[in-house]
Amino acid sequence: MHWRRTRTAAQFLGRSIFAIALSSAAGAAPYSPNEAEFDVLIRGGTIYSGDAAPFIGDVGVRGDRIVYVGPKAKGAAKRVVSAKGLIVSPGFIDPHTHADSALGSDNAVARLVLPFLTQGVTTAFIGVDGGGSPDLTLLSAGRDYGINFASYVGFGAVRSAVIGNADRAPTPLELERMQGLVRSAMCKGALGLSTGLFYAPQSFARQDEVVALAKVAGAAGGIYDSHLRDEASYSIGL
């Protein structure tokens, strides 16, 4: 799947925030004590690595990689951030967000999604609730983003692109076009199909239509993600 990578977190974050919202890597790369140079060294924080008990130590960053996590690091750094009394952890993953408009903005500052970063969220899922855009290429890989993100292809977005807001079933040709949009999005890295069947025009669809599109996503290894609304008996219920 095609995930968008952030730039180095140090380029965006101030001293105290960096210590709690460090952008995570796939894991710390091998570290040699003879490699004395770090671009950023976060020193003396309480490290929550996720695979060990919390401990006080250092995190070393070179380029866009975390190259050291452990006790006091040896060697010089271009920038040293004191994290004493602060928590240092991998970035959090938010699997349900509405950051689509910010990430799709022409405004470079908006694409940093600073409200997420300042809360420690460095990876977000978008295209939820059947929303977003069926054309994932609108989120250009050539742009800089403040967070990592991955997108679902939204059922509502697909339906709107083919039959608008009409309260009717799609024709066989329209259904094929909708399936084609889902297939294209999956080939471009979509996580799967998302729906919000409470919302128009998704609420106009019947079960067989949703199943037909979900099968396309499933055939490409995708998942089905749905936003339920009013499950209780006080309103429309189930």
Side-chain angles (χ1 to χ4, degrees):
M1 295 186 180
H2 300 294
W3 291 71
R4 308 301 188 198
R5 289 184 61 189
T6 68
R7 296 170 66 191
T8 305
Q11 294 174 280
F12 302 131
L13 301 177
R15 173 177 174 141
S16 61
I17 297 302
F18 186 81
I20 64 171
L22 179 66
S23 181
S24 64
Y31 168 75
S32 168
N34 295 323
E35 296 176 356
E37 192 86 1
F38 298 105
D39 291 321
V40 177
L41 184 61
I42 304 172
R43 191 179 289 285
T46 303
I47 298 174
Y48 285 75
S49 65
D51 59 1
F55 64 95
I56 295 175
D58 298 343
V59 175
V61 179
R62 186 183 301 118
D64 63 355
R65 295 284 180 178
I66 298 172
V67 295
Y68 178 79
V69 178
K72 189 172 183 179
K74 298 178 181 179
K78 296 176 182 177
R79 180 185 177 195
V80 176
V81 178
S82 174
K84 184 177 180 180
L86 299 174
I87 290 173
V88 183
S89 75
F92 302 125
I93 299 172
D94 190 334
H96 186 106
T97 80
H98 296 279
D100 308 62
S101 59
L103 292 168
S105 173
D106 290 330
N107 186 311
V109 175
R111 293 198 303 273
L112 298 183
V113 200
L114 292 175
F116 280 38
L117 286 175
T118 53
Q119 297 178 79
V121 176
T122 57
T123 300
F125 292 3
I126 59 174
V128 299
D129 301 345
S133 170
D135 185 4
L136 301 191
T137 60
L138 294 177
L139 297 168
S140 171
R143 287 180 163 184
D144 289 325
Y145 299 95
I147 61 172
N148 301 298
F149 61 91
S151 181
Y152 292 98
V153 56
F155 175 53
V158 168
R159 200 176 207 275
S160 295
V162 175
I163 60 176
N165 292 320
D167 183 359
R168 62 173 176 81
T171 66
L173 180 58
E174 288 171 336
L175 184 60
E176 286 185 18
R177 288 177 57 197
M178 292 166 67
Q179 290 174 312
L181 288 175
V182 173
R183 187 174 298 108
S184 176
M186 293 304 301
C187 289
K188 294 171 183 174
L191 293 167
L193 180 73
S194 79
T195 64
L197 300 176
F198 179 85
Y199 308 110
Q202 299 174 75
S203 55
F204 305 144
R206 300 179 66 89
Q207 179 178 323
D208 58 352
E209 180 183 338
V210 180
V211 170
L213 299 192
K215 283 184 175 180
V216 174
I223 64 174
Y224 177 77
D225 179 89
S226 190
H227 183 157
L228 300 180
R229 175 65 62 90
D230 284 323
E231 307 90 273
S233 59
Y234 66 87
S235 181
I236 61 170
L238 289 177

